Amino acid sequence: MDINLLRQISIKDYLAALNCRPARDRGHYGMYHSPFRAEGNASFKVDYNKNLWYDFGTGEGGSILDLVMRMEQCTLPEAIRKLEGRSSEGCLSSIKSRTCPVQPPAIEIVKVQPLVNPALIGYLRERKINIGTAKRHCPEVYYAFGRKEYFAVGFRNDSGGYELRNKYFKGCTSKDMTSVVRDNRSCLVFEGFMDYLSYLTFQKLKYPQENVIVLNSVSNLGKAAGLMASFDEVSAFLDNDNAGKNTLEKMNGICNVLHDHSGLYLPYKDFNEFLCAGK
């Protein structure tokens, strides 16, 4: 089946087949309890008209294919195969009958080593990241989820956990920011570590002179607020979307002096999209 047709499969129907129902249904969108973790408040939004999802807890989102890859911990080709049984009438015959997980199995780190895997190097090259830069800041992480083992580019956070990225997966072992504190009164703030690596690649830097905060999710702003307030000035490189703008507005009330650099990579959503566009 054509991949564009697969993207039209209703996310609402897919979740309903997994016994996941919206906690609040507003007609054109629904708020769900996240299928990725146990939570008290519904923080998982499904836009019925656009047929897109967004998890406010992790900052992840996308199409139904992204959701299947995340839910099933599978690759894109596997996600396509899982959805191909759906008929044009909206039948989700390829989805096995099961309940939506309340608490998914934890991601377990198996080993961490220098970044050398050709598949990960290729992924970073696709993202236009300088490989030497990536090797200085990121290890290669092997992790287990359920009964399967995977590998990804890792980026260590302040809790000792890792942000994990490969061509098919975006996740983390623990939700926290990453901070690098130096003897400097200025700080650079990035939404995610791919944007941090993009900035270093663009500026041809091994390490910045300024302090660095990588939020790893805009939901970590509260954790970073005290550190941000301790600097004389903060330069923000956030996404050009509603979440980035809302976070920037909150930072205005936290930082002594705040510089917004998101205009540097307009009209692109973030620094990495700008870099990938060859700008």
Side-chain angles (χ1 to χ4, degrees):
M1 186 182 294
D2 186 272
I3 193 168
N4 290 322
L5 292 177
L6 289 175
R7 292 183 189 277
Q8 296 175 24
I9 294 175
S10 168
I11 293 176
K12 184 179 182 180
D13 289 350
Y14 170 77
L15 291 172
L18 303 179
N19 291 326
C20 294
R21 311 287 177 179
R24 300 190 303 277
D25 197 315
R26 303 304 189 195
H28 61 286
Y29 76 90
M31 295 301 300
Y32 293 70
H33 291 100
S34 175
F36 309 140
R37 61 185 176 278
E39 63 176 6
N41 298 319
S43 65
F44 186 91
K45 180 180 179 180
V46 177
D47 187 314
Y48 303 146
N49 294 332
K50 296 180 181 178
N51 200 36
L52 296 172
W53 61 277
Y54 185 79
D55 189 335
F56 287 93
T58 63
E60 298 173 89
S63 71
I64 188 168
L65 289 170
D66 299 302
L67 180 59
V68 173
M69 287 190 288
R70 182 71 168 82
M71 291 278 289
E72 305 288 345
Q73 286 294 291
C74 63
T75 64
L76 178 59
E78 289 171 335
I80 290 173
R81 287 195 293 272
K82 289 175 183 292
L83 291 175
E84 279 181 333
R86 182 189 185 275
S87 72
S88 60
E89 300 298 323
C91 173
L92 297 173
S93 58
S94 66
I95 299 175
K96 297 179 180 179
S97 177
R98 63 179 178 85
T99 58
C100 184
V102 174
Q103 182 63 54
I107 295 175
E108 179 185 355
I109 299 297
V110 177
K111 65 178 178 179
V112 178
Q113 64 183 43
L115 183 57
V116 294
N117 189 296
L120 297 180
I121 298 296
Y123 164 67
L124 290 167
R125 286 199 172 113
E126 287 180 6
R127 302 291 295 267
K128 307 299 184 184
I129 301 297
N130 179 277
I131 302 305
T133 298
K135 287 184 175 183
R136 291 184 194 98
H137 297 270
C138 300
E140 182 175 303
V141 177
Y142 288 79
Y143 63 98
F145 188 89
R147 297 181 179 179
K148 293 185 178 181
E149 188 172 309
Y150 307 88
F151 55 84
V153 178
F155 186 71
R156 191 175 175 88
N157 62 35
D158 287 358
S159 295
Y162 288 91
E163 293 291 313
L164 300 170
R165 300 288 186 277
N166 60 38
K167 191 172 183 177
Y168 306 109
F169 178 71
K170 176 181 179 181
C172 61
T173 61
S174 60
K175 187 162 51 172
D176 202 354
M177 67 176 184
T178 301
S179 60
V180 181
V181 180
R182 298 184 172 91
D183 186 16
N184 192 297
R185 300 306 303 159
S186 299
C187 180
L188 309 178
V189 176
F190 300 89
E191 193 162 323
F193 79 88
M194 278 294 172
D195 294 315
Y196 174 47
L197 296 179
S198 298
Y199 170 83
L200 294 176
T201 298
F202 181 76
Q203 298 288 3
K204 296 182 172 62
L205 293 173
K206 294 181 179 179
Y207 302 94
Q209 293 181 344
E210 299 89 347
N211 301 282
V212 174
I213 295 175
V214 181
L215 292 172
N216 293 319
S217 169
V218 294
S219 63
N220 287 326
L221 179 61
K223 297 179 180 180
L227 184 58
M228 284 184 191
S230 70
F231 300 118
D232 292 341
E233 58 180 356
V234 171
S235 294
F237 298 83
L238 304 182
D239 289 1
N240 286 309
D241 59 10
N242 289 335
K245 292 175 183 176
N246 292 337
T247 303
L248 188 71
E249 185 176 345
K250 293 175 183 176
M251 287 173 63
N252 263 317
I254 296 170
C255 303
N256 294 307
V257 176
L258 178 64
H259 304 289
D260 174 19
H261 292 282
S262 60
L264 171 65
Y265 35 90
L266 276 173
Y268 301 97
K269 178 189 174 186
D270 57 37
F271 214 134
N272 187 247
E273 282 192 8
F274 167 79
L275 196 68
C276 289
K279 304 300 181 180

